[in-house]
Amino acid sequence: INFPFADSSFEFILLKSVFTHIRPKEVENYMREIARLLAPHGSCLATFFLLNKSQEENQLRGLSSVNFQFGDEHWRYAYRGMPELMVAYREEEVTRMLQEAGLLAQNIYYGNWSGRPDGISYQDMVLITKA
């Protein structure tokens, strides 16, 4: 799917609670579209549920508010039979998908869903630019 906008036509793109509800192929498509639509010095702020070592440790300690128990090693979901309700991705997988689309995660701001006491929002936020 291509969005009906001209290449490089956006200085800023916001995807709040989008990648937390779609499967990998759709995420890859959105990332290609972000790369196409961003102006050369534009940026995108997108939210995710990122799976990583810190999150796994908090999960084991019972601190996470969500248990992403279904899926595979790249992406997980919380509700059997309804993946799109809550979807999480391995942080490395998000980095890989961004790189393949010609994008870069400039900063990651972790949320408190995973039990982090210093989360600045519920979901994890990723500031994305062109590579």
Side-chain angles (χ1 to χ4, degrees):
I1 280 183
N2 288 25
F3 296 114
F5 304 106
D7 294 359
S8 302
S9 59
F10 290 89
E11 291 291 327
F12 183 74
I13 297 172
L14 174 66
L15 291 113
K16 182 182 183 299
S17 204
V18 173
F19 294 134
T20 57
H21 299 285
I22 60 177
R23 297 174 185 239
K25 292 294 180 199
E26 287 82 14
V27 172
E28 290 173 346
N29 182 71
Y30 271 65
M31 289 184 179
R32 286 188 301 272
E33 283 298 282
I34 291 166
R36 181 181 72 79
L37 294 172
L38 269 183
H41 298 290
S43 59
C44 170
L45 184 65
T47 63
F48 292 86
F49 291 118
L50 296 173
L51 305 173
N52 54 41
K53 186 169 178 53
S54 173
Q55 173 273 323
E56 290 167 359
E57 290 170 358
N58 285 344
Q59 181 74 43
L60 290 173
R61 294 174 34 214
L63 300 174
S64 288
S65 65
V66 183
N67 183 7
F68 292 99
Q69 57 188 327
F70 307 103
D72 63 28
E73 69 274 10
H74 302 293
W75 74 292
R76 316 254 329 139
Y77 51 97
Y79 298 97
R80 181 188 308 270
M82 297 183 73
E84 290 83 2
L85 226 54
M86 290 184 98
V87 177
Y89 289 91
R90 297 256 359 124
E91 191 170 325
E92 299 84 20
E93 183 68 4
V94 171
T95 299
R96 181 197 65 75
M97 288 190 282
L98 287 169
Q99 288 174 343
E100 285 185 3
L103 299 168
L104 177 68
Q106 286 292 335
N107 289 310
I108 298 175
Y109 307 95
Y110 296 103
N112 58 26
W113 74 272
S114 64
R116 290 175 178 265
D118 58 348
I120 63 172
S121 72
Y122 184 67
Q123 296 177 0
D124 304 311
M125 297 185 293
V126 181
L127 183 62
I128 300 165
T129 61
K130 289 190 173 189

